[in-house]
Amino acid sequence: MRCKLGAVLLCAALLACGNQAYGAVADYKTITEKAEKEDRTLQTFETDDGSGGTVKVAACEETVYVTAKTAGIFPTPSEAETPAASLALGDEVQRTGVCDNGWSKVSFQKDGSTINGYIQNQMLSEDIQIQPVNDEVEVKTDSSILDYPGRKDGEVVGEVLELDEVKRTGTVNGVWSRIEFLDADGAAQTGYIPTSVLDLPETVQTASIDEELNAGTLHKSSGEGVFADAIEAGGTVTEENGVQIGTPVAASSDANLKSLGTFRITHYCPCSICCGPWANGITSTGVTATTNHTIAVDPSQIPYGSQVVINGQVYVAEDCGGAIKTNCIDIYVASHAEGEAKGVYYTEVYLIQ
């Protein structure tokens, strides 16, 4: 197969949000309340939180799967210490406990040894993330290869070209295919491309653009989070097909604006193509994404909660992504078709001071 390598960004200190995808494992409250309702005795204990305090842990036993691009396994249920190990999307772990601070105790096998540690709940799911396949198929349309199956978090690591023969090793929701490819140095790598760019037998079902919104699992949310107050930028919010729809808010004529320069503007929605295998519409700040309101930014350039003006409309920085770098903004929209229609453009962006 022919493959030309794109810009590979190997950063030792990735933004935490660039590695996050929100899962669906039950939290401490859910597990303890269920045990109480069923009149079951639940084993609980306390453990060090890594910062001199303690957290409560309820015992549980289930197989779960990593949903994040990479997920650190820490000695304590916090990021206060250096990770003892790192897992990747699709890795299987045994969940043995759930903490009351949003972490889970897990164990897994590595190089013949059992490793125990703690991982954030939001990086886990009860659902298998990658369905294994083993075939060789032809590429029918040129496509970028990403290091994660989601345009918002996935970074370009290569490219497949029309008529290439690629080896598939897995699928994600039928929307993404995991493939093996050779980089510019001839080294074997793993990446993800949309299944729709592959010439598959007619018996193989793949998701169409119209179906991609439902390819992930959408969950309702109260919208509560550390930046929930940012909704006060104005406007009203309704819900359609599980997506929060906000009304456009125009910048005030007397607003104090500071130019941030020219930005590359893209668009994303809560589907698996945009947000990965566990697309649920929840942003990295904990609030539910809202159209005409939420944007994904590089928080080192535009802090969370900042209100910015793009083409006269006010948006709030509530999300981020591994692919959102300096002078890039991803605007949240209601559907994949809408995002494709609005495309990519460059414009000056202003910060409301």
Side-chain angles (χ1 to χ4, degrees):
M1 136 189 171
R2 307 187 310 276
C3 174
K4 59 183 182 182
L5 188 69
V8 183
L9 302 176
L10 298 176
C11 178
L14 288 172
L15 287 171
C17 63
N19 287 325
Q20 292 179 358
Y22 289 85
V25 293
D27 59 13
Y28 180 89
K29 181 180 179 182
T30 300
I31 287 179
T32 53
E33 287 182 349
K34 181 179 179 181
E36 183 178 353
K37 183 178 180 180
E38 296 175 351
D39 198 23
R40 289 187 293 109
T41 299
L42 190 65
Q43 181 183 357
T44 60
F45 58 94
E46 292 188 348
T47 190
D48 178 18
D49 68 355
S51 302
T54 60
V55 296
K56 294 181 180 179
V57 185
C60 62
E61 188 64 42
E62 63 178 338
T63 300
V64 294
Y65 304 88
V66 175
T67 65
K69 183 190 298 187
T70 58
I73 306 298
F74 292 81
T76 58
S78 73
E79 295 181 326
E81 301 179 56
T82 302
S86 181
L87 297 177
L89 173 67
D91 284 345
E92 177 182 306
V93 299
Q94 297 302 310
R95 191 186 191 208
T96 59
V98 56
C99 307
D100 66 354
N101 68 338
W103 289 69
S104 287
K105 185 176 183 180
V106 298
S107 67
F108 60 97
Q109 297 293 316
K110 184 176 182 180
D111 299 328
S113 300
T114 299
I115 296 179
N116 297 299
Y118 295 87
I119 183 175
Q120 296 180 58
N121 290 347
Q122 64 189 24
M123 296 186 177
L124 298 174
S125 171
E126 297 174 355
D127 296 327
I128 295 175
Q129 297 298 293
I130 302 176
Q131 298 291 340
V133 297
N134 184 15
D135 58 18
E136 290 196 10
V137 293
E138 186 176 278
V139 176
K140 61 182 181 181
T141 306
D142 294 355
S143 174
S144 295
I145 303 173
L146 305 183
D147 63 356
Y148 181 81
R151 289 177 180 170
K152 186 164 69 73
D153 289 308
E155 297 182 50
V156 176
V157 293
E159 182 181 18
V160 289
L161 305 176
E162 184 180 359
L163 302 182
D164 279 347
E165 292 286 336
V166 299
K167 180 179 180 181
R168 290 200 308 162
T169 60
T171 62
V172 181
N173 288 333
V175 174
W176 291 91
S177 286
R178 183 177 64 187
I179 65 168
E180 294 180 354
F181 68 99
L182 300 179
D183 64 19
D185 298 322
Q189 304 288 349
T190 296
Y192 299 86
I193 59 176
T195 302
S196 60
V197 307
L198 298 174
D199 189 9
L200 298 175
E202 293 182 2
T203 55
V204 178
Q205 299 296 316
T206 61
S208 67
I209 287 294
D210 291 337
E211 296 169 330
E212 283 167 0
L213 180 60
N214 297 318
T217 300
L218 301 178
H219 302 278
K220 291 185 178 180
S221 167
S222 65
E224 296 299 327
V226 291
F227 292 101
D229 289 343
I231 200 70
E232 294 177 358
T236 59
V237 177
T238 59
E239 186 172 303
E240 297 178 15
N241 299 319
V243 178
Q244 288 197 170
I245 308 297
T247 57
V249 176
S252 171
S253 60
D254 60 355
N256 184 12
L257 303 181
K258 174 186 176 182
S259 175
L260 297 177
T262 299
F263 278 64
R264 182 176 188 265
I265 308 298
T266 55
H267 302 83
Y268 74 107
C269 74
C271 75
S272 290
I273 281 286
C274 293
C275 294
W278 201 259
N280 64 4
I282 309 301
T283 66
S284 58
T285 60
V287 301
T288 302
T290 303
T291 68
N292 294 309
H293 176 84
T294 298
I295 55 174
V297 300
D298 178 347
S300 67
Q301 181 183 29
I302 302 177
Y304 288 135
S306 298
Q307 295 182 20
V308 302
V309 177
I310 303 172
N311 291 336
Q313 186 173 331
V314 178
Y315 296 90
V316 180
E318 295 179 321
D319 205 359
C320 66
I324 312 302
K325 302 299 181 183
T326 303
N327 280 53
C328 291
I329 288 178
D330 217 5
I331 298 177
Y332 182 76
V333 295
S335 69
H336 196 82
E338 180 183 352
E340 291 289 302
K342 290 186 174 179
V344 178
Y345 58 87
Y346 292 81
T347 190
E348 191 164 9
V349 174
Y350 299 89
L351 175 70
I352 298 180
Q353 296 184 301

